[in-house]
């Protein structure tokens, strides 16, 4: 009897429902959460802590509804059957896309100076490797245009992200005025077109700014990236925080041959690449350069 009870307790621990399950539309077991954690880690490198259970539930419950499924088991079976469209939706659902224009503002005058110093070069290329909804690559483009004092500087920006939904939004370049509230009237006038009619509460980034940027899906976790360097600067900000150190190191090793010899690597405010000191060294606050002469 005792051993049967023990067995039941062990099964319950594995298959335990996450808290707040009483108010949930679908059952969501601990085991299912663990499985999802492993899948998103293997696919996108994203390490989810156990505090993210509720977030995972609410984001994926939408996918169950969209697919007319009634259990997480059926949803996981659907993924296992290799439904490519659903894999994309699954990944899009679990990314965190928080961003803003000129976030970590000190990077942009530095980027402007950096590209200006290279004005003799035939072509200057920049890579924004976690572009989200576009605020970051557009801020880079505006900083470059300011530095060259023209809407057609000799600069190209590649903007990539794993999430196809945010990339589609980024390509549109339409933003609610609330998201533009920290930009000066002068910047708004120079780089945006105010919406009219039903769109008065939004503005679209000017075509010239959009022309500088190519948006493409790219998973930083992939073994090979279908891109060619050298890049004069790489922005990889506020995405490494979702990866563990070995994953970060692998990505940094991939950046190394793609960054021009005197190129700059920009990191997010809470990210440090000290554990990759053989590859990159700190030049100034959250800005890195090659550790060794190339
Ligand atoms: C918090 S946002 C940061 C956006 C912007 N870089 C910034 O600093 O404002 C993180 C972005 O990283 C993307 N991301 C997550 N995992 C990724 C991966 N494996 N490869 C490429 N992008 C990824 C997400 O889709 C998301 O848009």
């Amino acid at each position: 009897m005792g051993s049967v009870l023990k067995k039941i307790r062990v099964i319950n621990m594995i298959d335990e429902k996450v808290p707040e399950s009483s108010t949930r539309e679908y059952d969501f077991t601990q085991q299912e959460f663990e499985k999802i954690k492993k899948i998103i880690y293997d696919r996108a490198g994203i390490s989810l802590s156990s505090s993210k259970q509720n977030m995972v539930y609410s984001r994926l419950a939408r996918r169950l509804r969209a697919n007319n499924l009634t259990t997480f088991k059926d949803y996981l079976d659907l993924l296992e059957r290799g439904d490519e469209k659903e894999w994309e939706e699954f990944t899009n659902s679990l990314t965190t896309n928080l961003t803003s224009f000129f976030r970590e503002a000190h990077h942009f005058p530095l980027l402007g100076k950096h590209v200006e110093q290279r004005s003799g070069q035939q072509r200057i290329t920049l890579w924004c490797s976690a572009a989200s909804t576009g605020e970051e690559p557009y801020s880079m483009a505006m900083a470059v245009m300011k530095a060259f004092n023209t809407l057609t500087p000799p600069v190209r920006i590649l903007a990539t992200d794993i999430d196809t939904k945010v990339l589609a939004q980024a390509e549109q370049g339409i933003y609610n005025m609330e998201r533009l509230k920290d930009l000066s009237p002068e910047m708004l006038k120079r780089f945006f077109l105010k919406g009219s009619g039903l769109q008065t509460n939004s503005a679209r980034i000017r075509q010239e700014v959009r022309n500088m940027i190519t948006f493409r899906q790219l998973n930083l976790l992939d073994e090979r990236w279908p891109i060619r360097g050298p890049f004069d600067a790489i922005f990889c900000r506020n995405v490494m925080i979702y990866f563990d150190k070995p994953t970060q190191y692998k990505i940094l090793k991939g950046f190394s041959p793609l960054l021009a010899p005197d190129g700059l690597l920009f990191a997010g405010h809470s990210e440090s690449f000290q554990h990759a000191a053989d590859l990159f060294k700190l030049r100034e606050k959250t800005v890195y350069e090659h550790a060794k002469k190339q």
Side-chain angles (χ1 to χ4, degrees), residues 3 89 216:
S3 72
E89 295 284 358
R216 259 209 264 157

Side-chain angles (χ1 to χ4, degrees), residues 44 96-99 103 130 136 161-162 219-220 237-239:
T96 299
N97 309 112
L98 186 79
T99 187
R103 183 180 191 182
E136 182 170 87
D161 200 286
I162 194 174
N219 182 353
L220 287 168
R237 307 189 316 162
N238 305 302
V239 61

